[in-house]
Amino acid sequence: MFSDPKGQSMHLTIRLDHVTHRYRDAVALDDVTFQIGTGVTALLGPNGAGKTTLLSLLSTAAAPDNGNVEVFGHRAD
């Protein structure tokens, strides 16, 4: 469990730790670190921001070049 910004306890569902992913010479995600707990989360950003790449990593359709991806306590390798 961890605390949200308001100090309430939450269960950790997703954790990225220093994740980098490249497509040939293009860097889609560069040293991304964050964690998400239970509740509703939105993923917003302009085209080319890495949203689809992030979802591919979380679903294990792709693997990170560097870093760790953890979903519900399991490493997404």
Side-chain angles (χ1 to χ4, degrees):
M1 294 229 279
F2 71 104
S3 296
D4 71 2
K6 295 179 183 177
Q8 298 174 334
S9 293
M10 299 180 72
H11 290 281
L12 184 63
T13 57
I14 295 172
R15 178 191 326 246
L16 273 74
D17 190 31
H18 300 287
V19 171
T20 299
H21 189 76
R22 293 178 183 84
Y23 294 102
R24 296 184 186 156
D25 294 333
V27 178
L29 298 173
D30 187 20
D31 197 32
V32 175
T33 298
F34 70 88
Q35 53 191 14
I36 299 174
T38 56
V40 177
T41 301
L43 186 60
L44 304 172
N47 291 344
K51 302 177 299 291
T52 301
T53 300
L54 176 61
L55 292 175
S56 294
L57 294 173
L58 294 175
S59 69
T60 68
D65 294 324
N66 293 314
N68 298 313
V69 177
E70 188 176 297
V71 180
F72 293 109
H74 301 279
R75 284 195 52 179
D77 292 332

